[in-house]
Amino acid sequence: MTRSPSSRRGGQSTASRSAAPASKASATRTRRQTLAGQGVGDPDRAGDAVLALVDAEKPPVHILLGSDAVRLVAAGRRRVQDDFDAWEELSRSTDSTGGGVTVA
């Protein structure tokens, strides 16, 4: 079955598809400007944390600074893991039936 690009997008015109993201981006920008400087983060404490990383014998490859960052990234990782779990059988079903080399 062949599908045209417009059928994959619900038949929307190019103009209507581009207007929605622009409007959402504008609303997001406005919200961020309104909330600027009101977050829970403390720049001095973040600086101390970065200095501790510099002095660490084995610094992490990845680091999150701030409870809001921890919360947002953890929620995103849970969503990804939920997708992995829900679709694992389909993902594995694409393996060749003749075996092959497994990448470590």
Side-chain angles (χ1 to χ4, degrees):
M1 176 171 113
T2 304
R3 293 171 43 170
S4 70
S6 64
S7 69
R8 286 192 295 271
R9 296 185 192 103
Q12 291 178 322
S13 71
T14 303
S16 64
R17 282 194 312 269
S18 63
S23 174
K24 186 173 183 177
S26 177
T28 300
R29 187 176 306 107
T30 299
R31 177 170 163 68
R32 287 184 177 164
Q33 289 170 343
T34 301
L35 296 175
Q38 298 181 35
V40 297
D42 180 330
D44 291 333
R45 294 179 81 179
D48 291 342
V50 170
L51 292 174
L53 292 170
V54 169
D55 292 336
E57 186 175 320
K58 284 183 70 179
V61 175
H62 306 283
I63 188 72
L64 299 171
L65 298 179
S67 59
D68 51 349
V70 172
R71 179 180 48 80
L72 290 168
V73 171
R77 292 177 58 95
R78 279 191 297 274
R79 286 191 302 272
V80 169
Q81 188 63 51
D82 289 347
D83 281 347
F84 285 170
D85 294 344
W87 294 96
E88 182 177 2
E89 186 176 341
L90 179 66
S91 296
R92 293 182 182 277
S93 75
T94 64
D95 288 354
S96 170
T97 58
V101 177
T102 301
V103 179

